Amino acid sequence: MNEHQWLQELLKVNNEEVKLSDKQAKILEAAIEMFAEKGYAATSTSEIAKRAGVAEGTIFRHYKTKKDLLLAIVTPTITKVVAPFLAKEFVKEVFEHQYKSYEDFIRALMKNRFEFVKKHLPLIRIFWQETAFHAEIKEQIQAVFMQNVYEKFKRIIEYFQAKGEIVELPANAIIRMTITTIVGFLLTRFLVLPDGQWDDELEMERTIRFLMDGLAKRD
């Protein structure tokens, strides 16, 4: 794969390839790096232009505003990376298995998400940092989750509730608790304290234990 081929692949939206000039590809790559490192608000178009090796005016010939540049990164990332992953690999690897316990399901879910975040960390940083400030990004992520994951997640919870393994709380509440606990670990591990002395396997097991202590049904 050549220098910009991964970006060309990313920008194939609805099976229509977006052709990038060499300068446009350099601008997008530089923006991904800068947004991931400093955040959207703290990054100027002049800094992006300097890293990309182009004049600042070149950016505005391709993107009317800095926000257009952000969305040019985020939209295809969701449609070509996040959505297919959720719809195919994520669902296949995590949700299309028969688990002996909800704990086994949580363990598979957590390890899967850990590897996903580690693999796509620069782009994940952008999502984490910008979702709270840009409604378009939040809406896209919510739509992907609801269309591909929610019903499968709900069925797993209801199955283990019927078996008497986890508490009789609304499925929405259990989904929220499960996701926020796992995301909290990943956020701390990769964004807040990435240089900490982490024993990843041990911390994942502790997180799973914490979740199950709260969700396990007691007589």
Side-chain angles (χ1 to χ4, degrees):
M1 185 173 287
N2 63 37
E3 183 181 1
H4 301 309
Q5 190 174 347
W6 69 271
L7 196 54
Q8 294 280 5
E9 288 295 316
L10 182 63
L11 292 171
K12 290 180 181 177
V13 182
N14 298 324
N15 295 319
E16 295 182 8
E17 185 171 0
V18 178
K19 295 294 186 181
L20 296 179
S21 67
D22 185 62
K23 285 185 177 180
Q24 194 171 8
K26 287 179 178 178
I27 290 168
L28 281 175
E29 288 175 0
I32 289 172
E33 292 172 0
M34 296 296 293
F35 290 160
E37 289 172 12
K38 299 180 62 176
Y40 170 80
T43 300
S44 68
T45 51
S46 62
E47 289 174 311
I48 295 170
K50 183 177 180 180
R51 182 167 294 196
V54 302
E56 187 175 6
T58 303
I59 292 177
F60 295 108
R61 284 201 292 273
H62 294 290
Y63 307 98
K64 293 180 181 179
T65 66
K66 188 172 71 168
K67 187 170 183 179
D68 286 341
L69 179 55
L70 174 68
L71 295 178
I73 297 166
V74 170
T75 299
T77 300
I78 291 173
T79 58
K80 298 303 295 181
V81 176
V82 178
F85 188 87
L86 288 174
K88 296 177 183 178
E89 294 181 57
F90 185 36
V91 169
K92 182 178 180 181
E93 292 174 6
V94 177
F95 288 88
E96 293 183 357
H97 292 275
Q98 186 68 41
Y99 295 99
K100 293 182 179 178
S101 66
Y102 191 69
E103 181 174 338
D104 288 344
F105 163 69
I106 292 299
R107 183 169 285 104
L109 174 65
M110 189 163 195
K111 289 185 176 181
N112 181 279
R113 295 294 80 190
F114 180 89
E115 294 301 323
F116 179 71
V117 172
K118 185 166 67 173
K119 181 178 179 180
H120 299 287
L121 187 55
L123 290 170
I124 295 298
R125 280 199 184 103
I126 294 173
F127 288 131
W128 269 334
Q129 292 167 2
E130 307 310 328
T131 296
F133 303 105
H134 299 281
E136 301 96 327
I137 299 174
K138 183 186 295 184
E139 289 166 4
Q140 289 171 341
I141 293 173
Q142 288 173 340
V144 166
F145 178 80
M146 294 303 295
Q147 291 168 10
N148 297 293
V149 176
Y150 175 77
E151 288 299 330
K152 295 178 177 63
F153 207 145
K154 185 169 179 270
R155 283 198 294 270
I156 287 175
I157 289 170
E158 290 171 346
Y159 172 76
F160 286 112
Q161 284 180 327
K163 290 184 67 176
E165 289 190 19
I166 57 177
V167 293
E168 292 292 336
L169 291 174
N172 284 351
I174 295 178
I175 290 172
R176 174 177 54 78
M177 293 171 191
T178 301
I179 290 175
T180 54
T181 301
I182 292 175
V183 169
F185 162 70
L186 296 174
L187 180 66
T188 306
R189 167 64 180 84
F190 289 104
L191 192 61
V192 179
L193 296 171
D195 299 322
Q197 298 298 313
W198 289 93
D199 182 331
D200 292 325
E201 290 295 327
L202 177 60
E203 289 301 324
M204 282 193 281
E205 286 301 318
R206 286 171 174 167
T207 304
I208 293 165
R209 186 77 275 127
F210 175 81
L211 261 174
M212 292 310 303
D213 284 348
L215 294 175
K217 190 171 184 177
R218 293 170 175 79
D219 295 331

